[in-house]
Each structure stands twice: as C-alpha cells, then as structure tokens.
Amino acid sequence: MSTEVALRDEITRLGWSMFERGLTFGSSGNISVRLDDGWLMTPTNVSLGRLDPARITRLDTAGRLLAGDPPTKERFLHIAMYNMRPNARAVVHLHSTHSVAVSCLADVDPEDVLPPITAYYVMRIGRLPLIPFHPPGDKTLAEAVRLQAGRHTAVLLANHGPVVSGTSLDAAASAAEELEETARLHLMLRGCHIRFLTPEQVAELRQRFPLN
Ligand SMILES: [Zn+2]
C-alpha cells in the first residue's frame, strides 16, 4: 500500500491532470483517499490544478481535522460513500460538464440515469442512481447519498455532478472519466436511433466483471 506521502503526491498529480483536461474548473471538485486511520481530502476553496501535497487535508476517522488546510465543504459526501462501501479506497467528485448536463435532464430514469451504451460503462459504473437536489455541503445531501451508496459504486447528484468511488485512486478516477465520456456520448446520441447493449449482454458483463 502507498505511503501517505506517496498518496499526497498521487492526489496532486491527479488533480492537475483532471484540471488540465477540463474535467474540473475553478475550485470545484474534490478527491479523497482512505487511510487506515482516516482520510486525505482536497482542501476547501482550492483549484485541483494547483494542489500543494503538504497542505492536503488529513482527517481522522471521526472527520476531525488533524493536519493541512480546512477540508472541502463536500467532505460529508465522501464520508457517506466510505461508510457504506468498505472496499472503497478513494472517492472522486467532479462538476464535469457532460455529467452535470445529464444530471439536469428531466426525462431520465432516477434509478439508472444512463443507458448501457458501452461495455466499460457497465463494468466501471454499473447502475447510476440520481440523488434529488440538496444544497452543496448540506448534511441532508450526505444522507441521501448514504441511502444509495451501499448498492452503487457511483451516484449522480441532480443539477450538481457525480460522486464516484473505487478500490484505488486510479480506479475511482478511471470510473469518473468513463462516466463523463458516457454522459457526453449520451448527449451526442440524443434523438438518434441507438442500439444499446441488450439486457443479456449487460447481465453477462456484470457477472464477468463484478463491481467492488
Ligand atoms: Zn460538488
């Protein structure tokens, strides 16, 4: 397992990479990693493109600040995900444009927002529930996430953005990127006659590549 110093560097590198590729803007989005005795989390009011590894927030298992800058206001989202997903080692939350656009559509299935367009979406995200709108940072939002997180590796916050967990930082980031690209495809294909994966194909993928 990576040391805390190495994880701080990984978070910084990932934040920069996501910022450079337009997956996050301003000071939006946050990244966290589970430690054996707490979490590392990106601080409040900082661009993911300009993180300082030494100032990344360190929280204990009760969510108290141990070191670094004050944590993101959205820390409750991350903690809700970790509390319900024992195998989750990292959580990525973005306001990435296409995912947010899909989170604003009125005609989606709130139990499973995006259809099975590609195999990798099914393998990395599975079913994606829509969490009804709550103000960012509000504890009612964390509770709504908690209710879905036990059954889903990722959730989509209405008119806000995705929260994606993974068994490593790489896995969470890859899944968040897969979700963003699938959201983009979904918007590109709206109004087209689409051949989705069949229920049988989806079931086989879920059996062969179970989500953690
Ligand atoms: Zn947010």
Side-chain angles (χ1 to χ4, degrees):
M1 184 179 293
S2 304
T3 64
E4 183 178 326
V5 170
L7 287 169
R8 286 174 178 273
D9 286 344
E10 278 182 48
I11 291 171
T12 303
R13 233 180 358 255
L14 175 64
W16 178 83
S17 164
M18 288 188 147
F19 186 84
E20 284 292 302
R21 288 178 292 146
L23 289 160
T24 173
F25 317 89
S27 60
S28 73
N30 25 79
I31 301 169
S32 66
V33 170
R34 193 204 295 265
L35 304 171
D36 290 339
D37 53 357
W39 296 280
L40 290 175
M41 216 170 271
T42 50
T44 187
N45 289 331
V46 65
S47 163
L48 291 189
R50 290 192 299 275
L51 293 171
D52 175 349
R55 294 174 67 177
I56 287 174
T57 308
R58 170 87 158 83
L59 300 176
D60 68 10
T61 49
R64 286 178 298 234
L65 178 63
L66 292 182
D69 287 349
T72 165
K73 287 181 283 299
E74 297 185 302
R75 62 189 173 280
F76 302 109
L77 291 177
H78 294 247
I79 292 173
M81 208 73 176
Y82 288 117
N83 285 344
M84 299 306 290
R85 302 200 67 77
N87 292 332
R89 299 299 302 183
V91 172
V92 172
H93 166 54
L94 298 173
H95 298 174
S96 44
T97 307
H98 300 90
S99 302
V100 176
V102 166
S103 84
C104 302
L105 296 176
D107 59 350
V108 297
D109 174 2
E111 298 292 315
D112 193 8
V113 177
L114 284 167
I117 300 175
T118 67
Y120 278 91
Y121 176 75
V122 175
M123 289 152 58
R124 293 202 164 125
I125 298 291
R127 289 189 184 84
L128 181 71
L130 186 72
I131 306 292
F133 182 80
H134 297 264
D138 196 299
K139 285 191 181 177
T140 56
L141 177 58
E143 180 57 24
V145 170
R146 210 177 64 79
L147 289 173
Q148 293 286 352
R151 287 175 291 129
H152 301 282
T153 60
V155 298
L156 185 62
L157 313 180
N159 304 71
H160 182 166
V163 184
V164 182
S165 68
T167 52
S168 66
L169 191 53
D170 267 359
S174 293
E177 291 171 32
E178 191 69 39
L179 170 50
E180 172 64 8
E181 285 306 301
T182 304
R184 194 157 76 93
L185 287 170
H186 180 64
L187 295 168
M188 283 170 68
L189 292 168
R190 268 168 84 79
C192 298
H193 190 61
I194 306 168
R195 185 184 59 253
F196 295 116
L197 300 187
T198 65
E200 292 74 25
Q201 288 167 333
V202 170
E204 189 189 346
L205 286 168
R206 286 187 176 142
Q207 195 181 8
R208 277 206 212 181
F209 305 98
L211 287 159
N212 285 292

